[in-house]
Amino acid sequence: MNNPTICAIATAPGGAIGIIRISGSEALTIADRIFRPVGSNAPLADRKPYTLAFGNIVNAENEVVDEVLVSIFHAPHSYTGENSVEISCHGSAYILQQVMFLLTQNGCIPAGPGEFTQRAFLNGKMDLSQAEAVADLISATNKATHDMALSQLKGHFSNELSDLRAHLLKLTSLLELELDFSDHEELEFADRSELYTLACDIHQRLASLARSFEVGNALKNGIPVAIVGKTNVGKSTLLNHLLHEEKAIVSDVHGTTRDFIEDTTIINGIQFRFVDTAGIRTTDDIVENIGIERTYQKLQEAKIVLWLIDQQPTEAEIEDIKDRVADKKLIIVRNKIDKSTTIQNSEFKTPNCAIRNNSKLKIQNSKFHTVDISAKYGTNIPVLEQLIVEAADIPQLSESDIVITSARHYSALLLADESLQRVIDSMNLGLSGDLLAEDLRIVIDHLAEITGEERITPQETLQNIFTHFCVGK
């Protein structure tokens, strides 16, 4: 590919060191034009790859801009697969801009967003799913998202798809071969029982990958947790404790929170997205009623619901919450235990396990717990946090586990699985091989969308036939 040589600042501003990355066929030549090495005068192109050169960056007047280290990478053994140079400068914004100016004056063009990784993809250094993992790795905020992105970047997901594609291509090739010998109806190159077993196996693997999206999406974007309850029960105070900052306004005035307040925090390495909602009550205030409607919307979106109460709820309130959390994990949080006449101050100011019996609440739902807290004093907040982690029900992941985090990948897997189900149904009905082959092609094409591979071509099918089956010799 005849691409122009690109350059960009690769480090965030404000650090002691700043790195400028250059990539393209002329990367070494352009860097040589502004770099004056100390010691050996050998051009960068003549130096060994993966080595460092110390020297100065100089301008057109031969004035020193900065002392730098230059890292050398020869194609194709670089991140982009092209000749590449990384210039390590001092982190001054002025120095970095001067070096960028000199590079553009000597033939580079500024890189666009993601262009280095795009070139790595186009040059075959990684597939599309791995390229997407680079962005996920950069934005990882906890160990779980880091491990998932690193697994994808290392190609675990790509390898799984490649294995599935190879099996499907073999079957497609055999079915195509039958069509070439259609005048011999008795010939059947693709054993139908073997094909059926393999199709069912791949169906299970695709379904398993698709199911992992629920966990992956939750870990990547934060598990949604809605804090609901009547006005003035302490929802905003609780939110501030969970976020460890004064995010929400706390007031004794009813209806202070008229819209939802949303933010994320990490508990035990898992990211949660907490939503403090408007207090639920009957009111004539139009704006507050809009906030209450949004409370119900956020409750529907949540995976975990914290129902905050400060007194025994009525039967009507219990029935209402039962209807709204039937498919969710519910934690009933009994707040303001500091005001209980049976608890002394010395007790509620220190953490104590206060997971209570649920019998009085009469909610037939095995998915919930009840915990006593004091949001005012922070009593039992760690107990509540542990219950939240348990309610998230996130499996222990290892680096080799494949977890889908991209909605694009999820959609493609569903479409592939839908087409594969048609193959299974067609075999159950005894339909012809040409229909099976067409649906198998569609499955392969949907999997190719994930990694960015070319769609299957007749040439590829023919090559597979002659490589593996030696028909007629």
Side-chain angles (χ1 to χ4, degrees):
M1 297 179 65
N2 187 24
N3 286 331
T5 299
I6 56 175
C7 62
I9 300 172
T11 47
I17 302 296
I19 297 176
I20 291 176
R21 176 180 280 179
I22 313 167
S23 182
S25 58
E26 299 298 314
L28 298 167
T29 302
I30 293 173
D32 259 329
R33 293 172 187 163
I34 66 171
F35 176 64
R36 298 293 178 267
V38 173
S40 171
N41 290 322
L44 295 177
D46 294 341
R47 295 174 184 254
K48 292 182 179 180
Y50 313 121
T51 58
L52 297 174
F54 171 70
N56 298 311
I57 298 294
V58 297
N59 60 22
E61 289 73 37
N62 213 33
E63 297 172 337
V64 174
V65 175
D66 194 19
E67 285 186 344
V68 301
L69 281 174
V70 172
S71 306
I72 302 161
F73 305 91
H74 293 178
H77 306 296
S78 70
Y79 178 76
T80 60
E82 304 171 329
N83 287 337
S84 297
V85 173
E86 291 182 359
I87 304 174
S88 299
C89 316
H90 291 93
S92 159
Y94 172 77
I95 290 173
L96 292 170
Q97 291 301 327
Q98 285 297 302
V99 176
M100 284 291 293
F101 172 76
L102 291 172
L103 289 171
T104 56
Q105 287 290 97
N106 282 275
C108 279
I109 65 168
E115 189 168 356
F116 288 93
T117 302
Q118 182 183 35
R119 290 192 177 200
F121 165 66
L122 293 174
N123 291 324
K125 301 297 290 185
M126 59 180 69
D127 65 32
L128 194 55
S129 70
Q130 290 173 296
E132 290 170 304
V134 173
D136 288 343
L137 191 61
I138 292 170
S139 62
T141 56
N142 55 67
K143 186 178 186 302
T145 53
H146 168 271
D147 290 349
M148 289 189 299
L150 194 60
S151 173
Q152 188 170 318
L153 182 60
K154 287 184 175 182
H156 294 155
F157 182 36
S158 302
N159 292 339
E160 175 75 1
L161 295 179
S162 178
D163 182 57
L164 294 177
R165 189 179 190 275
H167 282 94
L168 290 166
L169 180 59
K170 177 182 176 181
L171 293 174
T172 304
S173 301
L174 285 168
L175 290 169
E176 294 281 357
L177 192 60
E178 287 183 7
L179 297 179
D180 289 341
F181 289 87
S182 58
D183 52 331
H184 298 277
E185 295 182 2
E186 72 283 358
L187 286 178
E188 203 173 74
F189 290 92
D191 182 273
R192 292 302 188 267
S193 61
E194 180 187 351
L195 175 57
Y196 187 83
T197 300
L198 187 57
C200 290
D201 177 59
I202 294 175
H203 166 66
Q204 293 298 324
R205 291 164 73 179
L206 290 177
S208 177
L209 288 172
R211 282 195 301 270
S212 74
F213 177 68
E214 182 180 355
V215 172
N217 187 53
L219 289 173
K220 181 178 179 180
N221 298 309
I223 298 169
V225 182
I227 305 173
V228 300
K230 294 191 295 187
T231 59
N232 234 22
V233 292
K235 297 188 300 299
S236 296
T237 304
L238 176 58
L239 177 71
N240 290 339
H241 269 295
L242 292 169
L243 297 179
H244 305 288
E245 64 171 300
E246 297 297 314
K247 183 75 175 181
I249 297 173
V250 176
S251 170
D252 291 332
V253 178
H254 287 272
T256 302
T257 303
R258 296 189 168 207
D259 202 350
F260 64 87
I261 299 171
E262 186 170 349
D263 208 344
T264 60
T265 193
I266 294 172
I267 305 174
N268 289 9
I270 300 172
Q271 181 169 264
F272 291 90
R273 182 158 39 87
F274 288 100
V275 183
D276 175 23
T277 60
I280 300 172
R281 66 168 180 162
T282 302
T283 176
D284 294 328
D285 189 307
I286 296 175
V287 176
E288 191 176 348
N289 275 323
I290 294 173
I292 293 170
E293 284 301 315
R294 291 183 178 179
T295 292
Y296 291 134
Q297 291 174 10
K298 287 297 175 180
L299 193 151
Q300 291 302 313
E301 296 170 7
K303 178 177 180 179
I304 302 171
V305 176
L306 306 184
W307 183 25
L308 202 61
I309 59 176
D310 59 0
Q311 58 186 356
Q312 180 67 22
T314 66
E315 291 295 329
E317 289 169 342
I318 292 174
E319 289 301 315
D320 182 61
I321 201 72
K322 281 171 60 177
D323 292 339
R324 297 183 187 278
V325 300
D327 60 341
K328 304 180 185 305
K329 300 293 182 68
L330 173 66
I331 301 175
I332 301 172
V333 185
R334 181 174 175 268
N335 191 23
K336 302 183 182 180
I337 61 170
D338 50 292
K339 293 186 177 181
S340 171
T341 57
T342 62
I343 301 178
Q344 300 299 317
N345 288 353
S346 60
E347 293 180 72
F348 69 73
K349 287 186 178 179
T350 57
N352 61 90
C353 186
I355 300 177
R356 296 170 58 84
N357 186 288
N358 302 323
S359 58
K360 289 184 179 180
L361 293 165
K362 301 177 183 177
I363 299 179
Q364 303 303 315
N365 183 338
S366 60
K367 298 179 184 177
F368 83 98
H369 290 284
T370 303
V371 60
D372 286 352
I373 70 163
S374 169
K376 180 178 180 180
Y377 291 96
T379 307
N380 290 329
I381 297 299
V383 177
L384 174 59
E385 289 178 332
Q386 185 57 39
L387 287 176
I388 292 170
V389 170
E390 292 173 5
D393 194 26
I394 299 299
Q396 189 69 33
L397 300 176
S398 67
E399 185 187 306
S400 60
D401 288 328
I402 302 172
V403 179
I404 306 304
T405 61
S406 166
R408 187 182 73 82
H409 299 171
Y410 177 64
S411 176
L413 287 170
L414 289 182
L415 291 171
D417 196 37
E418 182 182 309
S419 296
L420 191 60
Q421 185 61 56
R422 286 201 301 272
V423 172
I424 295 171
D425 294 341
S426 296
M427 281 189 286
N428 285 331
L429 295 172
L431 299 183
S432 61
D434 57 338
L435 296 176
L436 300 178
E438 179 60 28
D439 279 328
L440 284 173
R441 281 175 172 274
I442 294 173
V443 176
I444 295 172
D445 287 344
H446 284 310
L447 296 181
E449 289 174 12
I450 296 174
T451 56
E453 294 176 279
E454 295 291 335
R455 290 175 176 266
I456 184 173
T457 62
Q459 290 77 12
E460 188 174 5
T461 303
L462 287 172
Q463 182 179 2
N464 191 276
I465 291 171
F466 291 114
T467 299
H468 295 286
F469 308 114
C470 299
V471 176
K473 199 171 178 179

